[in-house]
Amino acid sequence: GAVVSQHPSWVICKSGTSVKIECRSLDFQATTMFWYRQFPKQSLMLMATSNEGSKATYEQGVEKDKFLINHASLTLSTLTVTSAHPEDSSFYICSASVLAGTGELFFGEGSRLTVL
Amino acid sequence: AQSVAQPEDQVNVAEGNPLTVKCTYSVSGNPYLFWYVQYPNRGLQFLLKYITGDNLVKGSYGFEAEFNKSQTSFHLKKPSALVSDSALYFCAVRGDSNYQLIWGAGTKLIIKP
């Protein structure tokens, strides 16, 4: 199946700094990528839908200025957590869909963010 | 609006026994249904999907799922559980857009030796 690479897997940062997480589709073009946040023992919470070449669509309650999403190419989307605080600590997962598919998503391995 | 329910937070099964992880859905129109598995500190892996055709869908790692339209269910099954099957399992249904999925809360599957 299609491969989605997410980097970094783990990141620890100080409060107030910004962290960038990359999501790449390695062997297919992804017009749409999704960013999720997962709290311990909970399901995935969709944060935003990222479309190549256009602004991301954020879910209700997700701060656009806090979680900056850029989808500059058909194979790369980035999530930047700006001015991170301890409450932003979480597991962030990206997913991508193939250009013409049936809704099947391919997921990155996830990024564990810990803000001190 | 589309929704998915996984009624069990956790399922415990002895190794070698059959397992079932339940999922029910609510959609308008024909459902596109999916099962994903998540191992600790990992992303999700696709197991199987139902779009159309046979109600019994076979997927990865020996898993299968049965689509039941009258009961609006899509339960995940495996004839003989392995300890390595222990993980978090998510059922999902396609949302209003072509690529968005609506997720169940997840079911933790524990296989005991």
Side-chain angles (χ1 to χ4, degrees):
Chain A
V3 178
V4 175
S5 173
Q6 195 171 333
H7 178 80
S9 300
W10 299 82
V11 57
I12 301 173
C13 70
K14 294 182 179 180
S15 184
T17 61
S18 295
V19 174
K20 180 185 285 188
I21 301 170
E22 293 186 348
C23 180
R24 294 180 183 272
S25 56
L26 296 186
D27 51 1
F28 68 100
Q29 292 182 325
T31 53
T32 304
M33 289 185 174
F34 301 89
W35 286 97
Y36 298 86
R37 183 173 179 176
Q38 186 179 32
F39 295 98
K41 300 181 181 180
Q42 292 190 28
S43 187
L44 304 174
M45 182 192 80
L46 180 64
M47 299 175 65
T49 302
S50 169
N51 294 295
E52 186 267 336
S54 64
K55 292 183 179 180
T57 302
Y58 289 82
E59 296 300 303
Q60 190 174 7
V62 178
E63 299 176 58
K64 300 178 182 181
D65 297 331
K66 176 75 171 176
F67 299 100
L68 299 179
I69 292 173
N70 183 277
H71 194 161
S73 76
L74 284 171
T75 58
L76 174 64
S77 176
T78 61
L79 167 67
T80 301
V81 182
T82 63
S83 187
H85 288 90
E87 58 265 30
D88 298 324
S89 299
S90 191
F91 194 54
Y92 294 89
I93 306 174
C94 74
S95 69
S97 61
V98 297
L99 198 59
T102 55
E104 180 180 339
L105 297 177
F106 301 95
F107 286 81
E109 289 291 290
S111 299
R112 171 75 61 192
L113 171 63
T114 301
V115 184
L116 303 176
Chain B
Q2 286 86 345
S3 65
V4 176
Q6 292 181 244
E8 304 153 315
D9 291 337
Q10 183 170 309
V11 171
N12 298 302
V13 177
E15 186 177 27
N17 284 359
L19 69 87
T20 299
V21 182
K22 295 180 180 178
C23 172
T24 59
Y25 65 90
S26 174
V27 300
S28 54
N30 295 320
Y32 284 17
L33 297 158
F34 303 83
W35 275 102
Y36 286 83
V37 59
Q38 183 182 31
Y39 297 99
N41 293 308
R42 303 287 293 277
L44 276 71
Q45 296 179 36
F46 171 78
L47 276 180
L48 50 82
K49 65 183 177 185
Y50 173 83
I51 306 294
T52 185
D54 291 338
N55 290 341
L56 186 63
V57 179
K58 294 187 181 298
S60 306
Y61 312 121
F63 283 92
E64 58 189 28
E66 186 170 11
F67 170 65
N68 188 315
K69 188 173 183 177
S70 63
Q71 297 184 5
T72 62
S73 67
F74 190 57
H75 301 331
L76 182 69
K77 300 180 180 182
K78 187 172 182 179
S80 178
L82 300 173
V83 173
S84 57
D85 293 329
S86 299
L88 192 56
Y89 290 80
F90 291 98
C91 182
V93 64
R94 195 181 75 174
D96 292 329
S97 71
N98 199 33
Y99 303 110
Q100 183 182 22
L101 294 182
I102 309 299
W103 296 91
T107 299
K108 186 175 183 179
L109 177 63
I110 297 177
I111 309 299
K112 297 183 179 180

